């Protein structure tokens, strides 16, 4: 009895698959060869449908169907390709979604910017600082304003802040601005690089000694620290002279904390990320 039911069910499924395939061929839609990479086959119906879509009558080329009016010279419609997936999108003044953020960065980093700029590690391309929803122009009602993103980048090649406004609907850069001497908050990548430079520098010996006293372990990597930092700007007459250009250069002052442990005082140390040098306040 069970064998009979399974055989009958298989016929029903195969018949349904052939019917769906026949309908798809009539409207000129090309069925995909697979449901997706890594997906397991769900049964014989899918394979049956794919074989039926691939089998054509003699003389029929790709895109030709057996629709109505074929004998009268009618041309079947071509295959329909879905638009590229742009990911999850927000509306109105909603914060940017993760997909919108990544798309805005891809659009902002065109070939010219990637070729001419340098990031905090010295690699090609500017350092990404922030991506935020752009404010609508004063003449645009908030409800009707297109969704735009302000992508803020820093070029360590010449210490320039770059702001590019991206129209998320059209996928174009609508405005580019550059500034010198403007220092937004440090990104996570910049804080990590500042800690790496400090650990490797002789002036970081005190930091490493305090870490070992607090944890009993050697400090060798920024991953062992919880990092907090702020931009440092040189004050008139402040020492040392090596930090006089902080503000024009991008400089970081770290407030590290041992992971799951105590704070470690490193306030007197400043890392010039533009020159990759470390200096101690109050010393020449």
């Amino acid at each position: 009895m069970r064998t009979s039911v399974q055989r009958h069910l298989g016929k029903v499924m195969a018949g349904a698959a052939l019917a769906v395939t026949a309908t798809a061929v009539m409207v000129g839609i090309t069925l995909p060869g697979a449901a997706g990479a890594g997906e397991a086959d769900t049964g014989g119906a899918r394979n049956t449908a794919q074989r039926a879509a691939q089998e054509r009558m003699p003389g029929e080329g790709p895109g030709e169907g057996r629709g109505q009016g074929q004998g009268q010279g009618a041309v079947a419609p071509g295959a329909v390709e879905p638009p590229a997936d742009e990911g999850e999108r927000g509306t109105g003044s909603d914060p940017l979604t993760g997909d919108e953020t990544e798309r805005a960065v891809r659009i902002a980093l065109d070939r010219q910017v990637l070729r001419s700029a340098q990031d905090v590690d010295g690699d090609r391309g500017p350092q990404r600082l922030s991506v935020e929803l752009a404010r609508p122009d004063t003449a645009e009602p908030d409800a009707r304003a297109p969704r735009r993103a302000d992508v803020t980048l820093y070029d360590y090649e010449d210490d320039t802040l770059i702001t590019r406004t991206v129209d998320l609907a059209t996928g174009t850069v609508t405005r580019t601005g550059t500034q010198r001497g403007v220092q937004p908050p440090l990104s996570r990548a910049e804080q990590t690089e500042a800690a790496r430079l400090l650990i490797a520098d002789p002036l970081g010996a005190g930091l490493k000694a305090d870490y070992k006293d607090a944890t009993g372990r050697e400090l060798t990597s920024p991953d062992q620290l919880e990092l907090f930092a702020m931009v440092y700007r040189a004050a008139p007459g402040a020492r040392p002279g090596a930090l006089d250009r902080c503000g024009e250069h991008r400089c970081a002052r770290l407030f590290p904390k041992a992971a799951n442990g105590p704070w470690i005082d490193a306030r007197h140390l400043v890392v010039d990320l533009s020159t990759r040098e470390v200096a101690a306040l109050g010393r020449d």
Side-chain angles (χ1 to χ4, degrees):
M1 179 64 181
R2 179 178 302 175
T3 302
S4 176
V5 171
Q6 289 178 341
R7 185 180 299 114
H8 177 71
L9 180 59
K11 291 180 178 179
V12 172
M13 291 176 65
L18 289 172
V20 171
T21 303
T23 304
V25 172
M26 288 178 67
V27 298
I29 298 177
T30 302
L31 295 180
E39 291 184 3
D41 195 347
T42 57
R46 180 179 301 171
N47 292 334
T48 303
Q50 291 173 356
R51 287 196 301 270
Q54 294 168 356
E55 293 174 357
R56 301 180 183 275
M57 294 295 292
E60 291 181 351
E64 297 176 347
R66 292 173 55 83
Q68 296 178 355
Q70 184 177 359
Q72 286 76 33
V75 179
V80 178
E81 294 290 343
D85 185 11
E86 295 182 358
E88 183 182 359
R89 291 181 288 178
T91 57
S93 59
D94 292 343
L96 294 172
T97 66
D99 290 332
E100 286 178 319
T101 297
E102 294 305 317
R103 182 166 181 258
V105 172
R106 287 197 303 270
I107 296 169
L109 295 178
D110 58 26
R111 289 184 179 180
Q112 180 178 356
V113 173
L114 287 173
R115 183 170 58 249
S116 63
Q118 180 176 297
D119 69 9
V120 69
D121 297 321
D123 297 329
R124 189 178 68 173
Q127 181 63 49
R128 169 178 164 178
L129 300 184
S130 64
V131 185
E132 299 177 348
L133 184 70
R135 294 182 179 180
D137 295 337
T138 55
E140 296 173 335
D142 290 353
R144 298 181 181 179
R147 283 179 69 79
R148 292 186 286 256
D150 285 334
V151 181
T152 305
L153 312 162
Y154 196 85
D155 181 5
Y156 277 88
E157 179 69 28
D158 58 3
D159 284 295
T160 301
L161 182 71
I162 304 170
T163 303
R164 310 202 83 188
T165 302
V166 173
D167 188 318
L168 293 168
T170 62
T172 58
V173 176
T174 61
R175 182 167 54 244
T176 298
T178 59
Q179 296 171 286
R180 301 288 298 274
V182 178
Q183 300 294 343
L186 295 154
S187 68
R188 179 60 59 183
E190 290 173 309
Q191 295 181 42
T192 300
E193 185 61 19
R196 182 177 291 110
L197 292 171
L198 181 55
I199 292 171
D201 193 272
L203 288 174
L207 170 66
K208 291 189 285 188
D210 290 343
Y211 180 88
K212 187 171 184 178
D213 288 343
T215 66
R217 299 186 301 275
E218 299 289 342
L219 176 60
T220 59
S221 169
D223 295 338
Q224 297 169 258
L225 299 170
E226 296 179 25
L227 296 173
F228 303 87
M230 59 185 298
V231 170
Y232 174 81
R233 292 177 176 275
R239 295 183 302 171
L243 298 177
D244 284 347
R245 298 188 69 182
C246 286
E248 176 188 347
H249 288 182
R250 194 147 173 82
C251 299
R253 199 174 182 182
L254 294 174
F255 303 87
K257 182 179 181 295
N260 301 315
W263 292 90
I264 301 174
D265 190 1
R267 291 173 294 174
H268 64 293
L269 299 173
V270 176
V271 181
D272 186 330
L273 290 167
S274 298
T275 62
R276 304 181 68 80
E277 297 177 350
V278 180
L281 293 173
R283 299 180 185 179
D284 281 322

